Amino acid sequence: SEPVDVPVLADYMERLINEKMEFGSGRVMVIDDDPELLERYSLILEGGGFEVRRVSSPATVLSALSEFRPDIILMDVQMGNFNGTTLARMLRFDPEWVGLHIIFLSSEEDSEFQFDALSQGGDDFLTKPVSDRILLQAARVRCYRARQLDKLASRDSLTGLLKHSLAKSEVGKEHGRCQRLDYPSVVAMLDLDHFKQVNDRHGHRVGDLVIKGLANLLRHRLRKTDVIGRYGGEEFIVALPNCTLENARRSMEAVCEQMSKIEFSGSDGTFSVTLSVGMAPLEDYEKPEDAIEAADRALYARKAAGRNGVTS
Ligand code: GH3
Ligand code: MG
Ligand code: MG
Ligand code: MG
C-alpha cells in the first residue's frame, strides 16, 4: 500500500483538531455550601463564558437540575450533613442524566475519600485550591464531551437518524416556526411495505440493511434543513420546512422510486423493497401531533390503496 505522507497526515490531524475540538462554553451548575467559594468558582466560570447556576443548598439541587439542565455539575463533597457523593449515586441511576458530567471539588486530599467519591459516580475529582486556568479548562473539556454524548444519545444507532423523541420535538419546533413566520411546511410518515416478509425470507440482518438503505437514501435525497427521524422499527418521520405539499410530493415520490430500484442481496438472489408515504401540511394543524396523526392516516390510506407511493 501507499506510504503515509507525514506532512499530509500532520495537516489532516491539525485540521481535525481545529475543526472538532472547539470547546466553546456550556452550562455549569456549581453546588457548594460555602457562599464565598460558590461565588468565587461561579465568577471564574462566568468570566470564561459559561452560563452558571449557583446552588448553595443540596435540598434544591434536583429541581434546579431539571430547570437549568446543565452540561456539568461542579460539586463540593461535604455540605453540612449532606454528602455530594449521595447525589452523584442517585443521578447515576437516572437515565435522564446519563450525559451529565459530575466533577467533585474538595479540599479533601485523602485518597480513600477521593476513591469513594469517584466510585459513587463522579467523573473527576479536583482538589481545592484549584487554579482558575485548570478549573476553566476542566469545565470546557467536559462540557464538550457532554455535548458529544448528548448528540450520540439522540441518534439511532442503526441508521444515525434522529431517535423518536428528538425527531418529534424537532417537528414540533418546525411547526412553531412555520406558523409564526407563515410559510408552508410538510410532515411525512414513511413505512416500508410488507417488511415482515423481508425478515421472514431473508432474515433480520438483511432486514436491518434495508432499513439502513432507506435511511441513507433519505439523508442523500433530502435537504440539510429537513428533519429525518427513525420513528419506530421500519417507520420514519420527515419534516420538510419551507416546502409546499406539491413539492413535498415530488420529493417523496422520487424517494419511493429510487428505493424501489435499489437491489438488495437476499438469501435467494437480489430483491427490492417499496415504501408508502403519508403527508400533511404542518402549518394547517393547531398542534404538531395533529399533523403527525393526519400524515399517519394518509399513510394508512396509501397502504390500503396499494402501497408504493405517496398520499396526502
Ligand atoms: P405493511 O406493508 O402493511 O407495512 O406490512 P409490514 O409487513 O411492513 O407490516 P408492519 O409495518 O406492521 O411490520 C413491521 C415489521 O418490521 C415487523 C418487525 O418484525 C419488523 N421490524 C421492526 N423493526 C425492525 C428492525 O429494527 N429490524 C428488522 N430487521 N425488522 C424490524
Ligand atoms: Mg463544604
Ligand atoms: Mg411496514
Ligand atoms: Mg410499520
Side-chain angles (χ1 to χ4, degrees), residues 190-192 195 233-235 299-300 303:
L190 292 63
D191 187 291
L192 288 166
F195 195 64
E234 36 82 79
E235 273 176 59
L299 168 63
Y300 280 90
K303 290 278 185 189

Side-chain angles (χ1 to χ4, degrees), residues 127-301:
T127 312
K128 293 175 188 173
V130 62
S131 76
D132 297 9
R133 209 166 153 258
I134 292 295
L135 178 64
L136 274 176
Q137 195 61 359
R140 282 195 192 104
V141 174
R142 270 128 199 119
C143 276
Y144 172 77
R145 294 284 296 149
R147 265 197 298 274
Q148 270 188 323
L149 269 178
D150 243 24
K151 232 191 238 167
L152 270 183
S154 64
R155 297 271 161 190
D156 167 60
S157 61
L158 179 69
T159 62
L161 299 180
L162 296 176
K163 281 184 187 164
H164 181 97
S165 62
L166 202 78
K168 236 172 123 172
S169 76
E170 288 299 312
V171 171
K173 277 188 210 162
E174 178 50 31
H175 175 261
R177 269 193 298 266
C178 69
Q179 283 201 337
R180 204 168 53 246
L181 303 173
D182 197 23
Y183 62 80
S185 288
V186 173
V187 62
M189 301 296 288
L190 292 63
D191 187 291
L192 288 166
D193 296 332
H194 300 306
F195 195 64
K196 274 194 208 97
Q197 292 174 19
V198 173
N199 277 330
D200 289 348
R201 274 183 64 185
H202 308 286
H204 212 259
R205 284 243 304 277
V206 173
D208 281 359
L209 289 179
V210 173
I211 290 173
K212 261 187 168 167
L214 176 55
N216 287 336
L217 178 60
L218 290 170
R219 239 197 309 267
H220 288 119
R221 273 302 306 191
L222 301 180
R223 298 169 299 180
K224 264 218 151 58
T225 47
D226 294 338
V227 177
I228 315 171
R230 187 173 179 202
Y231 206 62
E234 36 82 79
E235 273 176 59
F236 299 76
I237 187 168
V238 165
L240 306 155
N242 210 345
C243 183
T244 61
L245 206 53
E246 201 180 316
N247 284 333
R249 172 182 297 279
R250 233 169 273 147
S251 205
M252 284 316 193
E253 274 171 354
V255 166
C256 288
E257 199 192 326
Q258 286 183 332
M259 184 67 187
S260 71
K261 285 185 179 153
I262 298 177
E263 293 191 343
F264 294 98
S265 334
S267 46
D268 47 8
T270 62
F271 68 98
S272 61
V273 179
T274 62
L275 75 145
S276 299
V277 183
M279 304 191 307
L282 193 52
E283 76 283 3
D284 279 7
Y285 295 84
E286 197 188 328
K287 288 183 290 178
E289 305 88 74
D290 298 340
I292 293 174
E293 239 181 77
D296 217 30
R297 276 196 301 275
L299 168 63
Y300 280 90

Side-chain angles (χ1 to χ4, degrees), residues 14-144:
E14 195 181 313
R15 203 157 45 77
L16 255 190
I17 288 167
N18 287 337
E19 274 178 16
K20 306 259 175 186
M21 299 284 274
E22 269 180 16
F23 291 131
S25 54
R27 303 160 74 78
V28 186
M29 179 175 286
V30 184
I31 309 170
D32 204 310
D33 61 341
D34 179 332
E36 260 176 54
L37 284 177
L38 179 64
E39 193 54 25
R40 186 177 126 64
Y41 295 134
S42 299
L43 286 176
I44 294 167
L45 290 164
E46 281 170 348
F50 287 93
E51 228 179 293
V52 177
R53 166 65 72 91
R54 296 156 173 78
V55 176
S56 56
S57 149
T60 61
V61 168
L62 286 184
S63 60
L65 265 178
S66 345
E67 194 218 322
F68 183 65
R69 306 206 72 83
D71 300 306
I72 59 179
I73 60 180
L74 186 71
M75 177 162 57
D76 189 15
V77 179
Q78 291 293 348
M79 294 179 275
N81 55 13
F82 185 83
N83 201 322
T85 56
T86 308
L87 178 66
R89 195 173 60 225
M90 237 175 70
L91 292 174
R92 286 304 172 241
F93 279 108
D94 189 342
E96 190 181 353
W97 300 110
V98 70
L100 180 69
H101 280 238
I102 300 172
I103 305 177
F104 284 119
L105 189 58
S106 169
S107 50
E108 189 58 69
E109 282 177 38
D110 179 59
S111 77
E112 277 313 303
F113 183 90
Q114 296 196 1
F115 184 91
D116 179 60
L118 292 175
S119 309
Q120 304 291 336
D123 294 296
D124 232 318
F125 199 107
L126 296 177
T127 312
K128 293 175 188 173
V130 62
S131 76
D132 297 9
R133 209 166 153 258
I134 292 295
L135 178 64
L136 274 176
Q137 195 61 359
R140 282 195 192 104
V141 174
R142 270 128 199 119
C143 276
Y144 172 77

